[in-house]
Amino acid sequence: MTLNFKLLVIIFILLQSSGLLAQQPTAEQQIQEASKVYEQALTQKNEPLLKSILADNFILTTASGKVLNKKDMMLNLTKEGTKYDKFESSEVRISVLNDAAIETGKVHTVGIRAGKKIAETTRYTDFWVKIQGKWLLLAEHSSFITNP
């Protein structure tokens, strides 16, 4: 072994042990994290956080058939009679293709909407896009499950 090669091996080992060569999260992991941020923004009524995770041309089709855009979401977040306590997701699948991804799953939501207590289970499809290195929610659709 040459001295240069030995030096490269030592530098590599030092970088790896210091975490500088740590694995970057996969696209799936990044979307899982973005999805948590989305739920956190809703449960904490955090306007800047919600604004940061939704694409400017975001569109939501609710389980009751309403269609909402980003502005509508921001207004709904600040309504007095709306408070989400928790989201429990299950059966989550994420499929990534380049800078686009589909997330599907089932979510049980508990809280207050329009002043009425809710405890509902829906299936959802979220469409994520990566814009300038950040995953943003572009579209969401949900459907009620009658027998969860």
Side-chain angles (χ1 to χ4, degrees):
M1 265 198 254
T2 68
L3 182 59
N4 287 341
F5 182 73
K6 287 180 184 178
L7 188 58
L8 283 175
V9 170
I10 291 171
I11 290 171
F12 178 78
I13 291 170
L14 289 173
L15 286 173
Q16 193 172 28
S17 66
S18 70
L20 293 176
L21 292 181
Q23 290 285 332
Q24 292 296 317
T26 65
E28 289 85 355
Q29 291 168 327
Q30 292 173 11
I31 292 164
Q32 287 172 341
E33 185 59 34
S35 192
K36 288 178 188 175
V37 168
Y38 178 46
E39 292 176 357
Q40 181 183 1
L42 294 173
T43 56
Q44 295 178 359
K45 297 184 96 149
N46 186 324
E47 291 178 69
L49 195 56
L50 183 60
K51 189 175 183 179
S52 76
I53 202 74
L54 299 180
D56 288 340
N57 50 345
F58 170 81
I59 191 95
L60 163 66
T61 304
T62 69
S64 60
K66 293 179 185 173
V67 178
L68 306 173
N69 60 26
K70 184 173 183 175
K71 182 179 176 184
D72 298 327
M73 289 290 287
M74 301 308 294
L75 290 171
N76 280 345
L77 188 69
T78 59
K79 284 186 179 175
E80 280 297 314
T82 302
K83 170 77 172 94
Y84 295 105
D85 296 321
K86 67 178 175 175
F87 296 95
E88 293 175 350
S89 296
S90 61
E91 301 176 30
V92 176
R93 289 184 180 167
I94 297 170
S95 180
V96 178
L97 179 61
N98 299 322
D99 288 343
I102 299 287
E103 175 187 6
T104 61
K106 185 165 96 171
V107 64
H108 183 70
T109 304
V110 177
I112 299 170
R113 186 182 303 122
K116 297 177 183 169
K117 286 187 178 185
I118 61 162
E120 61 193 27
T121 303
T122 57
R123 290 225 176 254
Y124 69 90
T125 301
D126 288 350
F127 182 65
W128 295 89
V129 290
K130 194 172 191 179
I131 299 173
Q132 297 178 349
K134 182 176 179 180
W135 288 100
L136 300 176
L137 187 56
L138 178 62
E140 181 173 20
H141 181 272
S142 61
S143 301
F144 286 117
I145 299 175
T146 53
N147 295 316

